[in-house]
Amino acid sequence: VDAGARHSNVLSSTAQSSSARVLVVDRSRAFADGIVVLLRAAAIDAQAADIDALDQLSSTEPFTVVVVDGRLAHQAASDGLGRIRRQQPGCQLILIVDNAEQSAARIAELAGAATSLSRHSEPDVLIGAIRAVHEYRDVGRNPASQAIHASKTAIAQLTVRELAVLSLLSQGVSNIAVGESLGISPNTVRTHVRNLLVKLNVHSRAEAIAIAGQPGVLQRDSTSVENTACG
Amino acid sequence: MSTAPGFADAGTRRASLLIAHEHTLFRAAVRAGLEDDSNLVVVGQAGSGGQAIAEADRLRPAVILIDSELPPTGGIEACTAIKELEIPTRVLIMCQGGDHRLLLEGLEAGADGYVRHEGGIREVIAGCEALVRGEAFVPPRLLAPLLKGLIVRRREEDAVSQRVDRLSRREKEVFELLVSGHDQQSIAKELVISPATARTHLQNVLRKLDVHSRLEATALALHHDLFPTLAPRGVFRA
């Protein structure tokens, strides 16, 4: 958030910061209606919609933030998030999830959401998240940070082992040395490398290392990677 | 207490409401939506069945809105327990979709109305206000599944009673003893017949009821309340 605020100051000459326009989409329309009342009371422009009636929205002005039911991210068949993205390109998503969903943060990341929020949260937390995400939006428009975001999303799909291999590769280590370091055969290392190249959608180790080398991309998991590499 | 029961504020006559739903954010949202556009005031909130029962007893609100998926055992069970308190609070069940079994169970538990999540805050307000006026509330969209549920239940009961009618007087006696927990030996003793005869009667009962075990026969009897004097109500259902 701090970084976001800094960036938006830097960019403020080109991208004038405007107030948030929020769309709320939830399987419970009663919930969505109530959230809209809460947001309007906090002076945030908001509107509710059913997932099946997105194209009937009266407003032509695009929404900057969409607060969306995490259950819609699970329903791959109905492609709820895809419909929202097509309807509101350029919006930031905030997923509302159950605490029970342990993988909530991961779902949010894979869905390309800006953040996720527990259904057990107090309303102030949601209002704070909307304001933070809206401010951060200007950074999202910056192509360089978009590339980093895409890389982070790709990296999030790697297993811990694949991350360990990638981390060692970035240090210029050979397959054999990686195998020795992790206590696995060179053949297994080759399999890990092949899988991580597919997941990162690249064609060579050099490209993979380039993605891993972007600032902040590997940071989140650096400790766990080191631990794995040592062990 | 000068306040009339069920009304938070005797001056403006705003009807009091308790919201029972698992999620904090949901309760806050529905509270905001309701208070923004109705004559209702939310006097309490509950995140579980236990809390809902305790708060209903303590606050005696005009209406309690209970989510059908309220943990740990669902809103219907909470409704049953609240109705057993014998307080004037009226119960509005909130559900997603229109499952006819859920609707019937709610009615049997004493619910005074239903609203749907899909119906938005307007339907919740309409439901609460109808209950405050002393009316029942079922959204038109739920009438079809509710009627279907009643018809299905009626057909099931007709089918079961037809099967029970096939039993002879003696077989009915054996059946009743089985349901009350007797085994073959004690049935024989009770009716002063040989165990082999008791066994024959039991086999005929199972065949005529079209079930495959004594356990299934017992479950059928309890489920359809075939022997009202035997079934201890309230253990597994209302």
Side-chain angles (χ1 to χ4, degrees), chain B:
Chain B
M1 294 266 285
S2 59
T3 311
F7 291 90
D9 182 340
T12 54
R13 305 296 284 179
R14 295 187 78 189
S16 57
L17 180 75
L18 178 62
I19 300 178
H21 188 288
E22 178 181 5
H23 299 128
T24 312
L25 200 53
F26 181 94
R27 298 194 301 266
V30 169
R31 175 185 194 156
L34 282 169
E35 293 186 345
D36 181 57
D37 196 26
S38 75
N39 211 20
L40 300 151
V41 56
V42 176
V43 292
Q45 300 185 20
S48 70
Q51 273 178 25
I53 296 157
E55 288 295 278
D57 198 21
R58 188 174 71 85
L59 299 164
R60 311 268 165 125
V63 177
I64 176 167
L65 177 69
I66 303 181
D67 185 65
S68 67
E69 289 176 12
L70 186 69
T73 51
I76 304 293
E77 290 207 18
C79 172
T80 304
I82 288 164
K83 285 294 170 181
E84 278 170 4
L85 295 172
E86 297 189 348
I87 54 175
T89 297
R90 312 201 78 213
V91 178
L92 188 60
I93 305 270
M94 189 160 193
C95 57
Q96 189 107 40
D99 176 13
H100 64 81
R101 270 161 308 201
L102 179 86
L103 295 172
L104 270 194
E105 282 170 17
L107 282 189
E108 283 170 353
D112 299 286
Y114 288 97
V115 286
R116 300 165 307 135
H117 279 281
E118 302 89 322
I121 203 71
R122 277 192 197 167
E123 189 165 299
V124 180
I125 292 171
C128 290
E129 287 178 341
L131 263 56
V132 169
R133 289 194 300 268
E135 299 166 8
F137 189 83
V138 179
R141 287 279 182 103
L142 289 185
L143 279 175
L146 187 59
L147 291 175
K148 183 188 166 201
L150 285 168
I151 290 163
V152 167
R153 171 71 55 91
R154 174 71 182 272
R155 280 194 188 140
E156 277 176 10
E157 278 171 4
D158 282 354
V160 169
S161 69
Q162 271 178 20
R163 282 189 274 166
V164 174
D165 285 345
R166 287 186 228 150
L167 302 183
S168 69
R169 190 183 53 79
R170 200 56 161 172
E171 285 161 356
K172 277 184 188 156
E173 282 174 9
V174 169
F175 186 25
E176 184 163 2
L177 286 169
L178 176 74
V179 174
S180 66
H182 287 69
D183 64 3
Q184 187 179 309
Q185 297 294 334
S186 62
I187 288 173
K189 213 177 226 175
E190 189 79 19
L191 298 179
V192 202
I193 52 178
S194 80
T197 310
R199 187 177 136 82
T200 307
H201 283 316
L202 278 170
Q203 281 172 342
N204 289 338
V205 167
L206 298 194
R207 182 174 47 79
K208 288 183 178 177
L209 291 179
D210 197 21
V211 294
H212 299 98
S213 69
R214 294 174 188 184
L215 187 64
E216 204 182 327
T218 310
L220 182 84
L222 291 176
H223 184 71
H224 293 280
D225 214 5
L226 297 179
F227 305 106
T229 52
L230 290 182
R233 296 181 75 80
V235 178
F236 288 113
R237 56 206 199 98

Side-chain angles (χ1 to χ4, degrees), chain A residues 23 45 54 73 93 101 107 109 141 179-180 191 204 218 223 227:
Chain A
L23 181 66
D45 187 9
L54 285 177
L93 294 182
E101 298 166 16
I107 290 167
E109 196 157 5
R141 286 199 186 129
E180 280 169 5
T191 307
S204 68
L218 268 185
T223 48
N227 288 343

Side-chain angles (χ1 to χ4, degrees), chain A residues 13-25:
Chain A
S13 55
T14 50
Q16 198 64 41
S17 80
S18 53
S19 57
R21 280 178 45 76
V22 181
L23 181 66
V24 187
V25 183

Side-chain angles (χ1 to χ4, degrees), chain A residues 27-31 33-35 37-38 50 71 96 98-99 117-123 126, chain B residues 22-30 32-33 36 69 94 96 116-122 124:
Chain A
R27 276 180 61 200
S28 171
R29 181 56 190 265
F31 172 80
D33 288 344
I35 290 290
V37 174
L38 276 172
D50 292 326
R71 293 169 290 189
I96 306 289
D98 282 350
N99 268 3
L117 208 74
S118 163
R119 290 187 180 272
H120 293 277
S121 309
E122 295 290 341
L126 174 62
Chain B
E22 178 181 5
H23 299 128
T24 312
L25 200 53
F26 181 94
R27 298 194 301 266
V30 169
D36 181 57
E69 289 176 12
M94 189 160 193
Q96 189 107 40
R116 300 165 307 135
H117 279 281
E118 302 89 322
I121 203 71
R122 277 192 197 167
V124 180

Side-chain angles (χ1 to χ4, degrees), chain A residues 72-93:
Chain A
L72 295 173
H74 285 300
Q75 295 167 338
S78 65
D79 189 27
L81 292 183
R83 270 190 273 169
I84 291 171
R85 288 206 173 286
R86 284 190 293 279
Q87 177 76 22
Q88 299 294 327
C91 70
Q92 296 283 329
L93 294 182

